[in-house]
Every structure is written in C-alpha cells, then in structure tokens.
Amino acid sequence: MVRELKTFLAIARCGSFAAAGQKIGLTQSAVSAQIKNLESALGLRLFDRTGRSAHLNAAGQRALPLAEQIIETFALMGRPETLDEYRGALRIGAISTVQTGLLPSVLLRLLEEAPGVEPKLVPGVSLNLLSLVDSGDIDLAIMIRPPFALPKELHAELIQREPFVLITPIDLPGDDPFALLVEQPFVRYDRNSFGGRQVSRFLRKHHLDVRPGLELDELDAIVKMVESGLGVALVPRAGLWLERPPTVRILSLGSATFHRELMLVSRHANRQLPLHQLFRQCLTPALTEIERPARGASRA
C-alpha cells in the first residue's frame, strides 16, 4: 500500500491524475487503478474530480498528513543509523552562488567523512527548491529565507547573512550610493526572486526612483553587465566574482545596509539522521573560510 500512498500524495501536489502520472512515471490509467485500490482499502473516496482536475475532499484532506507521516516512517526504516553503513544519494538543492561559493568545500568534507555517500546537486531558485524539499524530491536545500512562513513539516536554520552592496563599473566616479542609484541605469535583481523582493523593498523604503534597465535572476550575470558599463546594481556580497581581481567597484550602503539570509531547509523528520547532522557539521568550517576574507575586505 506504500506505492498507492505515494501516488495519492503526488495527485494531491499536482492537482490531477495525469500530471501526477507524468511526475512519477505512470500512465493515467495506472494512477486511477492505484487510487481505486487505496479508496477500496480505506472504504471512502479521497478526491472530487472536475474535468481533468482532482481536488481533495474532506476525507482526503484528513488523510493527507497521515499519508505523509506513513511515507516518512517507511523511508526511515530503510536508512542506516551510522555513517559507516550509509550508501546512496544525498540530494542537495542550492542556489547558484552557493553552488560555486560555499558548497564545494562542504562536499569535500562530507565525502571525506562518509565516502559511501553520493551527493547529487540540484540547482534552482529558492522558491523551486523549497517546493522540492516539501515534496520530498530533494533531502535538503541551501536557499534564501522566504518572505513567508514555511510549511509546518519543514525546518529551517539560519546559516549566513550576506550584506547587499552597490556595485558600479570600475571607472565610474562618485561614492554616494543613493546618488548613483538615481543617476545611473539600474541593473535589477529579478524582482520575482526572494532577493529581488528585498531590493524592491529597499528602493521603496528610501523613495529611490531608479532608471529602468536590465532585469536578471543570476548574480554573476548581473555583475558582468555592470562590469560592461550597463549600469549599477544592488547585489548580495556573495559569489565567485568576489574571488577574482576586482572588475567592479563595491560600495557599502552604510547604515542602510540590508541582508540576504541563507537558510538550510529540510524536513523535520530527517533532521536527526546521521548524514544530515554531518552535513551541518561540514557547513561550519566552510562558512568560517568564506567569512574570514569578507571581514578583511570590509576593513580595507
């Protein structure tokens, strides 16, 4: 019955039998057959179907958290209790700057401690990664703190605060970040992203009417556009561009500085697993290595 419960959860998340079948690799008829078996075993209907959509009825809504709990418990039964016994994949979600900045040294330490682990990196934007952790498609993710409360099944812990700075072309004169924001074209951090929303709030708070320019969701691409002379940008101080010789000027926002908070997100049921605890332990020295040069640069 575990198979049927997984199919039930897939339909609840996808909203239709057809979409759930595509996600888990079953035909629509196979999905229908599994749900029929589950409903027969329980003696009640779980979905109201309207056209191609399938919506949980009252019984289905009551069953949903119980089904999630059963699947999580079943998964724990097959997981080893010690790192020496662990063999298999650890699915790690990460935003782009974490992939290139923080994660390589974390993975190196992880493999030294648990050589049987097979890390699988899943890139994505924060909203997508949050959904993947929630659905169980990845084990954990390093992402930007969302501007809303997490589902109760998820646990998030703060691992790093990255200050936003103004970056300008290397030869652009002027040291007042507020004046430069108004005077120069603005290369915007995608306003639909979690970090981009913070930029929008900052601009509204300080009543800054910026000149419209490009809008991008990749920080390295934003830095490249500013480097090429296409404008100025507000970005978190994070990513590979900090490790290269300076190609842009970095101006502090002073007392107006705001921060992007990086969170490690996982399901509550998995937090105490040895491998998840080891991953957290590997994060600490990697964060220290990143913060040390950043502190030095801030004093310069």
Side-chain angles (χ1 to χ4, degrees):
M1 198 56 66
V2 170
R3 179 180 60 178
E4 285 80 0
L5 288 173
K6 289 182 177 179
T7 300
F8 166 66
L9 294 177
I11 300 169
R13 293 181 180 118
C14 295
S16 74
F17 284 36
Q22 291 177 356
K23 182 176 181 61
I24 61 181
L26 294 176
T27 64
Q28 185 171 346
S29 60
V31 170
S32 298
Q34 289 191 16
I35 294 304
K36 183 178 180 180
N37 291 340
L38 180 61
E39 290 178 334
S40 296
L42 295 174
L44 46 80
R45 293 180 59 84
L46 300 171
F47 292 98
D48 292 330
R49 300 183 65 173
T50 306
R52 297 182 178 181
S53 299
H55 304 283
L56 291 172
N57 58 23
Q61 292 174 357
R62 288 195 302 271
L64 183 62
L66 296 174
E68 292 174 336
Q69 182 178 347
I70 291 169
I71 294 301
E72 288 181 353
T73 302
F74 181 79
L76 290 174
M77 291 172 62
R79 291 183 176 176
E81 289 300 317
T82 66
L83 295 171
D84 292 338
E85 300 172 350
Y86 198 97
R87 297 292 183 274
L90 179 67
R91 301 162 299 175
I92 305 164
I95 58 175
S96 60
T97 51
V98 170
Q99 295 170 47
T100 56
L102 174 64
L103 205 52
S105 59
V106 175
L107 294 180
L108 182 60
R109 290 183 173 88
L110 180 69
L111 291 172
E112 290 173 349
E113 296 292 333
V117 174
E118 300 174 13
K120 293 188 180 298
L121 178 59
V122 180
V125 297
S126 294
L127 185 60
N128 182 49
L129 295 176
L130 181 64
S131 177
L132 291 175
V133 175
D134 190 28
S135 66
D137 291 319
I138 60 178
D139 298 299
L140 46 82
I142 301 177
M143 50 172 279
I144 305 169
R145 179 194 290 273
F148 49 79
L150 294 180
K152 63 180 184 300
E153 296 85 3
L154 300 185
H155 172 79
E157 53 196 277
L158 176 67
I159 61 171
Q160 190 176 31
R161 299 179 77 241
E162 299 169 338
F164 273 79
V165 294
L166 181 72
I167 59 172
T168 80
I170 199 77
D171 57 352
L172 182 70
D175 296 319
D176 183 344
F178 288 89
L180 291 171
L181 278 166
V182 174
E183 296 166 358
Q184 300 298 319
F186 187 54
V187 182
R188 192 168 197 136
Y189 191 178
D190 180 12
R191 68 192 79 194
N192 292 318
S193 67
F194 293 164
R197 295 181 199 182
Q198 290 183 265
V199 169
S200 296
R201 287 196 296 270
F202 173 84
L203 296 175
R204 288 195 301 269
K205 177 181 178 181
H206 295 282
H207 308 290
L208 295 172
D209 187 15
V210 297
R211 293 170 54 185
L214 297 169
E215 184 165 344
L216 304 166
D217 62 0
E218 290 289 342
L219 292 183
D220 287 339
I222 292 174
V223 174
K224 188 66 176 178
M225 297 303 171
V226 172
E227 176 188 339
S228 300
L230 290 170
V232 300
L234 289 168
V235 296
R237 193 182 177 97
L240 278 179
W241 60 279
L242 293 172
E243 300 179 8
R244 302 191 295 261
T247 57
V248 294
R249 280 204 310 152
I250 302 174
L251 298 180
S252 169
L253 298 175
S255 60
T257 298
F258 59 109
H259 295 78
R260 182 177 80 165
E261 295 186 335
L262 292 187
M263 312 296 293
L264 177 63
V265 180
S266 61
R267 296 187 70 84
H268 274 291
N270 295 334
R271 287 184 59 226
Q272 301 306 317
L273 293 175
L275 190 57
H276 284 241
Q277 292 180 338
L278 175 61
F279 187 85
R280 290 178 177 85
Q281 294 169 17
C282 293
L283 270 173
T284 301
L287 289 168
T288 301
E289 290 174 1
I290 287 178
E291 291 170 357
R292 189 179 298 118
R295 287 194 297 267
S298 65
R299 289 194 297 267

